[in-house]
Amino acid sequence: MKDKSTNQDRREFTIGEVSEECGVEQHVLRYWEKQFDHLQDVTRRNGRRYYTAEDIQFIKSVKSLLYDQGLRISGAKKQLNEAGTKAASQDAIDIDQKVNAAIQELRRAKTLLNEDQTG
């Protein structure tokens, strides 16, 4: 993945490219696939592993937790699960706020329509 400008349109990357981009050996990536449910490569009929840009970001997060922060696999899993739960909770709050705003808008529209019919 040396020339990112030519690769940015690609949706899948080989394990070799991901290994180079993330600075993680290929055998480590294969091990992490077994340890982290989120990291599931796409293996083609030819047996080659392919990863998405989202996978690369996840791998970088795992690497940071393990190598930079010194967590073990179990600690990294826990932290990633907590982060996922927080993100899901925030998404639910955002959706709830949008639904409530839409309900208020519909009530205002209903009020205006009722005023037009009576007035």
Side-chain angles (χ1 to χ4, degrees), residues 4 11 13 34 38 46 53 56 63 66 82 93 100-101 106 110 117:
K4 293 181 184 178
R11 292 193 155 151
F13 304 90
K34 296 174 186 170
H38 180 78
N46 64 6
I56 292 170
K63 180 183 176 190
L66 297 177
E82 288 173 358
I93 291 169
N100 284 333
L106 288 170
K110 181 180 176 185
Q117 289 178 355

Side-chain angles (χ1 to χ4, degrees), residues 75-86:
K77 284 182 183 179
K78 182 178 178 185
Q79 190 151 2
L80 290 166
N81 285 338
E82 288 173 358
T85 301
K86 288 178 185 175

Side-chain angles (χ1 to χ4, degrees), residues 22-72:
C22 297
V24 177
E25 295 292 326
Q26 292 181 29
H27 69 274
V28 173
L29 293 173
R30 288 189 289 271
Y31 177 73
W32 287 355
E33 289 173 15
K34 296 174 186 170
Q35 299 301 313
F36 296 95
D37 293 336
H38 180 78
L39 187 58
Q40 297 296 320
D41 66 34
V42 176
T43 304
R44 298 279 186 234
R45 234 182 293 168
N46 64 6
R48 294 188 75 183
R49 286 176 157 83
Y50 292 92
Y51 298 89
T52 64
E54 180 181 299
D55 293 331
I56 292 170
Q57 291 304 313
F58 183 80
I59 290 166
K60 288 179 178 180
S61 297
V62 169
K63 180 183 176 190
S64 175
L65 291 170
L66 297 177
Y67 295 0
D68 299 337
Q69 296 182 31
L71 296 177
R72 294 176 184 246

